[in-house]
Each structure stands twice: as structure tokens, then as C-alpha cells.
Amino acid sequence: MHATVNWRDGLVFEAKSGSGHAVTMDGNKTEAASPMELVLMAAGGCSSVDVVSILEKARQQVTGVQCEVKGERADTVPAVFTHVHLHFIVTGTDVAEKHVERAVALSADKYCSVAKMLEASVKVTHSYVIENEGENA
């Protein structure tokens, strides 16, 4: 796996993955997400892939998964993350709590490479809520 990062101007960079996908990063957060924001997004994306995959294999009627990721950073330089919390909002019909709890736990404990990597130096926590579709209709 590899990537290339090219400076555009100011503190704006374009990163390109070995698979050919590009993303813009901005140290000032005016044109794009900052690299640290991308770390949070990567953790949420990686864990969300796991949760959706596990729930689909469990034949749960999931229609939506949202992962809200919050990161706390150190007050000193380098301003590394000290705590990252991933909160999953799972929407669907008759989604069993035991399956969501299991999916989130498996992602946290076994599958999410990004969160596991962060876990070496960052406190990573998880939570979830299930919203049954049609309850508010």
C-alpha cells in the first residue's frame, strides 16, 4: 500500500492513493479537511464498514448507519489525539440490539485497523443507539 502527497499552494495538499483515489487536505481547513480531521474520518469510515458488513451478515434490516466521531487533542505540541469516541446511529426495521452491540464490539476489538492502530496511544471508546424506522411516522 502506498500514497503520494503533493503540495498545491499555501497549506493545501492533494493526496493520491495507490489505488488511484485522490483527496485534498488543508492545514487551514478552509478548502478541505485537515489531516487530523481525516484521521477521525478514517476511523469512523473503517469502523462503519465493519458494522454494516457484520449487520448485513446477521440479516438485520438496516437502512442507515451514521458514525459520529469526536476527538480530543492534547493542549501541547504535538497536538495528538488523546481520546476518540465513535458513536453509531443504526437505523432500520426490527434491528436487534444484540446484533448491533456485537457488530460494534467486533469492530472495536478485532476488525477496524484504523481504530486498533490509534488504540496504541489513544483511548478509543464506542457507543451506539438504534432508531427504528417508522417509529416517528
Side-chain angles (χ1 to χ4, degrees), residues 88-92 95-98 100 128-132 135:
F88 293 90
I89 302 165
V90 178
T91 307
V95 177
E97 183 169 1
K98 69 178 184 176
V100 175
Y128 65 87
V129 65
I130 301 168
E131 295 181 351
N132 284 313
E135 271 189 356

Side-chain angles (χ1 to χ4, degrees), residues 73-85:
R73 295 176 71 179
D75 293 331
T76 57
V77 174
V80 297
F81 287 115
T82 56
H83 181 211
V84 172
H85 182 75

Side-chain angles (χ1 to χ4, degrees), residues 4-55:
T4 305
V5 178
N6 288 304
W7 177 43
R8 284 193 355 210
D9 61 11
L11 293 179
V12 178
F13 297 82
E14 181 170 296
K16 190 169 185 181
S17 68
S19 59
H21 300 281
V23 63
T24 302
M25 299 178 285
D26 184 353
N28 288 322
K29 299 187 263 185
T30 55
E31 286 190 40
S34 73
M36 290 300 280
E37 288 173 317
L38 288 173
V39 170
L40 289 182
M41 290 188 276
C46 182
S47 198
S48 293
V49 166
D50 297 335
V51 168
V52 168
S53 177
I54 293 164
L55 291 174

